[in-house]
Amino acid sequence: MLWFLTQGRRLNRVYVAFMSVAFMMGVAGALQAPTLSLFLSREVEVRPFWVGLFYTVNAIVGILVSLWLAKRSDSRGDRRKLIMFCCLMAVANCVLFAFNRHYLTLITAGVLLASLANTAMPQIFALAREYADKSAREVVMFSSVMRAQLSLAWVIGPPLSFMLALNYGFTTMFLIAAGIFIISLAIITFALPSVERVEQPTDVALTQVSGWKDKNVRLLFIASMLMWTCNTMYIIDMPLWISQDLGLPDTLAGVLMGTAAGLEIPAMLLAGYCVKRFGKRRLMVLAVAAGVLFYLGLILFHSHEALLGLQIFNAIFIGIIAGIGMLWFQDLMPGRAGSATTLFTNSISTGVILAGVVQGALVESFGHFAVYWVIAGISLLTLVLTSRVKDV
């Protein structure tokens, strides 16, 4: 807060608008994502394979749409208007999911609307970076505080999502998310600035593939992809597993997700503080080792208290790889931060695609319990791969 007070009254209002939009849109997203597998299973009444397929198709379309819009946003038009358009698509997507229970419609029109909607958040961060650069203020601190809003949103969103969906119905939950997006749209329209576009160099494309020639970059990409495969398989399967197999309350899934998100914030901050002393490879190996313990713990311990306690390992795992992973890519590809960040985000998207297919097929053939044995095995492989990437 002291940082905000030093910015001047005019800048303060704009910065607070950025924070408000990041938090509110984060909450709206965190209302929808945690209960999606339950929604498809119970409301749309599809088999586990089709639940997993939905996540896979959603990730593939999301990659294509985000790449197209990102390229367009960097070359032409007003970025703020694109954010407003994406926010409108988010409202339309919420309304569609609120009143439609037809799988084919949801996996086509719904996925397209969701892909357009999900582009809003990276565009908001891009606009915030451009504005901070133009105003010559604390860019790193500004970005860090904005990212903290997303983590805070995921502390609040998942428990609220399960409470609304289970007590008042999915229609109410999606309509509340739509209302939050409408308020966000109003803030974007009246409070966020338009920033004059800075001309980008034309030779960026030449650097996009060169990093892939490095063995360490390839290893880190595969390891990162597998990390996010494990995490996404857990997120897809866990709400169904604890209610159908373990007989625990449905609301526990939201509590577990919110607890992990809350613990991730200090894990991120502590990792940032320790990275200079211990190096990125040691911290990433520690993170993946915590992930291995978490997934093995899910196989062995199934009580309410044990699942809550295991979230400490989950938070260490996700909190570190989400922050340090991107920096490690950038260090392995000096002078190519854009390409490195793209590889990191693509590893996440590829992990989501793989997770949707594997989770659905496993549950369909062997049941939910098999998912956690496979995740544990993948996490062990990831630990080996991560330990072989050089430190920088």
Side-chain angles (χ1 to χ4, degrees), residues 3-4 7 11-20 22 124-135 137-149 192-193:
W3 174 74
F4 281 118
Q7 303 304 308
L11 289 179
N12 192 5
R13 289 198 298 267
V14 176
Y15 281 22
V16 169
F18 272 114
M19 300 303 159
S20 300
I124 289 171
F125 273 91
L127 180 64
R129 176 59 187 265
E130 291 171 350
Y131 183 78
D133 284 338
K134 185 180 179 181
S135 61
R137 299 292 176 170
E138 292 284 346
V139 174
V140 175
M141 180 63 72
F142 184 35
S143 178
S144 298
V145 175
M146 279 190 68
R147 290 184 182 278
Q149 306 309 305
L192 293 192

Side-chain angles (χ1 to χ4, degrees), residues 305-339:
E305 294 77 11
L307 293 175
L308 274 175
L310 288 170
Q311 297 308 313
I312 297 174
F313 297 105
N314 189 23
I316 294 171
F317 176 48
I318 300 301
I320 294 177
I321 68 171
I324 304 301
M326 182 177 67
L327 296 176
W328 202 4
F329 270 105
Q330 292 172 348
D331 286 353
L332 289 171
M333 301 171 62
R336 290 167 286 163
S339 300

Side-chain angles (χ1 to χ4, degrees), residues 31 39 90 150:
L31 281 179
F39 171 77
L150 293 182

Side-chain angles (χ1 to χ4, degrees), residues 88-103:
L88 277 174
M89 296 302 100
V91 174
N93 181 60
C94 290
V95 173
L96 177 66
F97 273 75
F99 296 108
N100 190 284
R101 299 295 184 269
H102 188 251
Y103 183 79

Side-chain angles (χ1 to χ4, degrees), residues 145-374:
V145 175
M146 279 190 68
R147 290 184 182 278
Q149 306 309 305
L150 293 182
S151 297
L152 182 60
W154 271 86
V155 174
I156 298 169
L160 183 60
S161 172
F162 281 91
M163 186 274 290
L164 289 172
L166 297 175
N167 294 331
Y168 301 98
F170 284 95
T171 297
T172 298
M173 185 200 72
F174 283 118
L175 289 178
I176 289 175
I180 297 174
F181 277 121
I182 290 172
I183 297 172
S184 301
L185 178 59
I187 298 174
I188 294 165
T189 303
F190 297 109
L192 293 192
S194 294
V195 180
E196 185 178 351
R197 192 61 43 82
V198 178
E199 195 69 28
Q200 298 295 319
T202 58
D203 60 345
V204 174
L206 297 176
T207 68
Q208 297 296 320
V209 296
S210 56
W212 195 250
K213 297 177 182 178
D214 189 325
K215 174 187 174 182
N216 290 287
V217 173
R218 293 197 303 270
L219 276 175
L220 183 56
F221 179 89
I222 295 170
S224 181
M225 176 192 70
L226 294 177
M227 294 174 201
W228 293 106
T229 299
C230 293
N231 180 60
T232 306
M233 287 176 67
Y234 165 74
I235 290 174
I236 296 172
D237 194 77
M238 184 266 289
L240 302 172
W241 176 57
I242 65 171
S243 61
Q244 295 178 5
D245 284 16
L246 302 186
L248 296 170
D250 291 331
T251 53
L252 178 60
V255 173
L256 295 178
M257 290 184 186
T259 301
L263 293 171
E264 283 169 20
I265 297 175
M268 288 178 187
L269 296 175
L270 188 60
Y273 178 78
C274 295
V275 68
K276 288 185 178 180
R277 180 175 180 181
F278 297 104
K280 295 179 181 64
R281 186 165 71 93
R282 286 185 181 178
L283 286 178
M284 288 287 284
V285 169
L286 171 66
V288 179
V292 172
L293 292 175
F294 173 60
Y295 296 123
L296 288 175
L298 293 178
I299 295 173
L300 299 174
F301 307 106
H302 301 147
S303 70
H304 185 288
E305 294 77 11
L307 293 175
L308 274 175
L310 288 170
Q311 297 308 313
I312 297 174
F313 297 105
N314 189 23
I316 294 171
F317 176 48
I318 300 301
I320 294 177
I321 68 171
I324 304 301
M326 182 177 67
L327 296 176
W328 202 4
F329 270 105
Q330 292 172 348
D331 286 353
L332 289 171
M333 301 171 62
R336 290 167 286 163
S339 300
T341 305
T342 299
L343 274 178
F344 175 71
T345 55
N346 284 347
S347 73
I348 298 175
S349 300
T350 308
V352 173
I353 293 170
L354 185 60
V357 174
V358 174
Q359 184 273 341
L362 282 173
V363 175
E364 191 82 11
S365 301
F366 305 104
H368 292 286
F369 196 62
V371 171
Y372 300 92
W373 282 98
V374 172

